[in-house]
Amino acid sequence: MKLHLHLHLHLLLSLVQLELRLRLRRLSSVVVLLLVAAATWAMILDPKTGVAMMVVDGTRTAYNSAALALGSATLSAMLLGFVGFYLVRGRVREDLRQGLASVIASTPVSGAWFLLGRWLGNVAYLSLIGGVVMLTIMLKQALIGVGPIQPMLYLQSYALMLLPLIFFCSSCALLFDSFVPLMGKFGDLLYFIVWCAVLVAQGEAGRAISTDESGIMLFDFFGMSSIMLILLHHFGTTAIALGGGPFNPAMTPLLLPDALWWSLPIYYRLACGVVALTPLVPALLLFHRYSGDKLKPSLSNSRRNPLQWLNQALRPMAALARPVFALATRVPGLGGQLVAELALSLASAPAAILALLLMPLLALAAPAASLSGLMLAATLVWLLWIADIGSRDYQADTENLVHASSGGATSRYLRHLATPIILGWLLLLPIGLGLFAHQPIKLLALLVGICALSAGSTVLGRCTGSSRSFLALSLFWLYVAINANGVAWIDLLGFNGAADRTSIAQHALMTLALLVAGYAHTIRRAR
């Protein structure tokens, strides 16, 4: 019995090590860690700007270890709870692409032990990202904070705030990879909808907390209710702005005590961690174990998700791309290759062709007050459409073939960069011309923002070999932009009306940096 248990524990350790090595050896992991560190750094606003991370009744909290640990852990939970799902999901498709599915299916390891190993690997990877966030905030405290840096206080807050969320993300990712209809882009979109709904519900529940005993905290994966309970306990109010708010500089900053946690919120967070494991039960029951009779029909689209059903129902509209293919054969050089990329993007997404035809008509018919909402809908369609352009050669295993074609890797990079830009202009500009008819600055913001997002999709697709990194970050940006509608640098496409010359210049510099990074990566991969 002891030998049998020892072998299983050794198997789990090997699976976890394998998952970490596979992820950390990729350049995409370095890119993700840098992006997370940069986003975390930007979350903690310098009080000299007149805005603070945590404001209580118009008074900011001092940036000691307690405030920075609790506040940054809560803010990073919103980001990690969304991006983390997309970072750890998709391993089944990767196994299929690399030909490992049949090897895994033939091993004597049970499905339960295999899923447990995958889950632990996901938890370890996301915990590593959480550790990078924590170290970044500790460095930030050394620069603009007060008091000594207390590593154990940081570790306690991050463990209690992030681990239940990490458990939930890892469990959901495993469930979505185990259930065939949720393995594709529909599953990605469904999680985005679930994430928005849960975050809004938790935020409302957190603001409504007025007692130490609330059952909603058992499902408080993002920690919103927990932080409101803690701040209510220490400050006696729920009038709190977290993430950025103006404050009265004449007021003495409030000091959060080092003894942040007591038994009740700790018990709630531990119980929440247990509840976060519940998606593992249906994951185990639905796990396909790489069975050919379950996965092959999915790959041949005989079992489709709603997005695939929509594209299949609109398949006759793909005929509209035929003249574009014909044009590509008559245009020489790089221009013909670009036209072919556009034709391929159109033919592979008939629903997007319908959007291209309908959006200009809706922009003409809709009242001016509805154009912002129409722009948001068109932006969502565009982001879903372009997410896999930068990685589709890798996913189709045609990279070497493309390298051998005329122009090689460089022309492919330029095509993959120009294609989402042109598609964005075609889809969004008709709405933008009506929305920004008398605001040329906002129209310029739209043009620059399309270029920035297109460059981001190309770079992330090339670096990660997947559409999910860009999809996760872009959908997260869209959610933040809808809620933080007065912040200029977040208004990437100008639909909030907050974009100005400074933010446009920042976005242009970001686009240039992404272009250089993408080109350098392309040259490096081609060697």
Side-chain angles (χ1 to χ4, degrees), residues 276-291:
L277 303 179
T278 52
L280 291 177
V281 177
L284 179 60
L285 297 176
L286 297 170
F287 183 45
H288 44 70
R289 195 175 169 80
Y290 300 93
S291 172

Side-chain angles (χ1 to χ4, degrees), residues 372-397:
S372 292
L374 187 61
M375 176 67 81
L376 286 174
T379 300
L380 179 60
V381 172
W382 178 61
L383 293 176
L384 292 171
W385 193 6
I386 69 171
D388 58 355
I389 291 178
S391 61
R392 61 186 174 197
D393 288 340
Y394 176 82
Q395 293 295 328
D397 202 18

Side-chain angles (χ1 to χ4, degrees), residues 4-5 8-9 11-12 15 109-118:
H4 185 68
L5 179 61
H8 278 93
L9 292 177
L11 171 65
L12 283 179
L15 286 173
V109 180
S110 68
W113 283 100
F114 176 76
L115 289 179
L116 180 59
R118 279 278 168 92

